[in-house]
Amino acid sequence: MKRLLVLLMMLCPAMAMGQTKVSSSAFPLTVRVVSSRIGMVPGDQRSNVSNLNFIDLMRVTLAGKKYVLAAPLKRWIFARIAPVLIEPGDYPARVILDKTPNPGELRRTYELRLANGKAVKAYLWGIGE
């Protein structure tokens, strides 16, 4: 029994080391967040304060083009009290959805990887020149 316990104790750190963060090759793009601010979107047709959804509107530069990305704030009531914004800077990113419903229309979703390894889903909200 003691041997089994010792074996399990030795294997636990090895299993934890095997769980690595997503490699940087999985995020081939670099998104430069220029600014970040809170935006409000009505949740349904009878929009009052309790039905508002909050989003993080980020002005970004990607491959020399200017975009606005929107990341939903999923902290419910705490989004109003203590909103969390993404700091300006460079972030590895990848495209997780890229559709063209009609010629000239774009529907794109990005995933930005933060410094701690967590990923934030951001939707294409605007395009500039």
Side-chain angles (χ1 to χ4, degrees), residues 65-68 126-129:
K65 294 185 178 181
K66 295 178 182 179
Y67 297 101
V68 176
I127 302 173
E129 287 188 36

Side-chain angles (χ1 to χ4, degrees), residues 58 68-72 74 96-97 108-110 121-126:
M58 296 173 280
V68 176
L69 300 180
K74 298 179 182 178
I96 57 175
L97 175 74
R108 194 172 292 155
T109 305
Y110 294 93
K121 192 181 284 189
Y123 301 93
L124 182 62
W125 205 259

Side-chain angles (χ1 to χ4, degrees), residues 76-108:
W76 303 96
I77 188 70
F78 299 111
R80 293 181 179 94
I81 299 169
V84 176
L85 296 173
I86 294 179
E87 281 188 275
D90 292 337
Y91 295 92
R94 64 181 170 191
V95 176
I96 57 175
L97 175 74
D98 190 8
K99 290 192 176 187
T100 306
N102 295 307
E105 294 180 342
L106 291 175
R107 181 176 168 202
R108 194 172 292 155

